[in-house]
Amino acid sequence: MLVRDAMSTMVLTIGPTHTLRQAARLMSARRIGAAVVHDPDTCGFGIITERDILIAVGSGQDPDTETASTHTTTDVVFAAPTWTLEEAAEAMTHGGFRHLIVLDGDGPVGIVSVRDIIRCWTPARRHPVELVG
C-alpha cells in the first residue's frame, strides 16, 4: 500500500504569524493533529503539531502571543505519494516524529500520520474490543 492510499488530503496550511491559540483552534475544529506552516518569505514549508503546542503551553508560554513560526519544525522530512507505507513508517521511526507532509509537485497534497498507517495495517474488526480494567 502507498502513502497516497493512507494520507489525509485535508491539509491545514497556516502562516508563521498565526498564534498558537489560532493554530490549536483550527486544528481542533478539523480534528487533526498537525498543520503545515507556509512562510511565503522563505518559500518553505514546516509543520506544527499538537505536541508542539502542548509543550509550549505546558512550559508557561502564552498561546495568544506565541506564534507558529517559533514552534514550527522546519527541518522536515517530506514523503512522496508513491512511497510505500513501510518507507513512511521507517522515516517516522528514524526521525522520531508522527506526521509526514506529502509533497507532489510544488506543494503539500496530504499528511500521513502514524494513525493513518496503523489504520491501513490493522484489519477491520467486526466486534468492538473489550477493555479489561
Side-chain angles (χ1 to χ4, degrees):
M1 188 170 276
L2 302 178
V3 164
R4 71 170 155 242
D5 302 319
M7 71 183 190
S8 170
T9 57
M10 180 186 301
V11 180
L12 171 62
T13 303
I14 63 172
T17 60
H18 276 78
T19 66
L20 294 185
R21 184 175 309 279
Q22 290 169 324
R25 188 173 288 134
L26 291 166
M27 290 164 58
S28 176
R30 289 163 179 78
R31 300 178 46 87
I32 56 175
V36 172
V37 180
H38 180 241
D39 188 344
D41 292 335
T42 65
C43 294
F45 293 101
I47 191 167
I48 189 166
T49 67
E50 58 196 355
R51 181 178 292 171
D52 297 324
I53 295 169
L54 185 65
I55 290 169
V57 172
S59 68
Q61 296 179 21
D62 184 350
D64 292 314
T65 59
E66 287 291 313
T67 60
S69 65
T70 308
H71 301 279
T72 297
T73 300
T74 55
D75 185 18
V76 180
V77 175
F78 297 100
T82 55
W83 278 18
T84 65
L85 293 185
E86 289 81 6
E87 289 172 309
E90 185 177 323
M92 290 176 181
T93 301
H94 181 70
F97 41 82
R98 299 178 297 162
H99 299 86
L100 288 171
I101 299 172
V102 183
L103 289 183
D104 193 12
D106 292 335
V109 294
I111 292 184
V112 65
S113 69
V114 169
R115 181 178 292 159
D116 296 327
I117 293 171
I118 290 171
R119 191 175 295 128
C120 290
W121 284 348
T122 305
R125 296 187 182 271
R126 295 179 192 263
H127 305 287
V129 174
E130 284 188 39
L131 298 177
V132 179

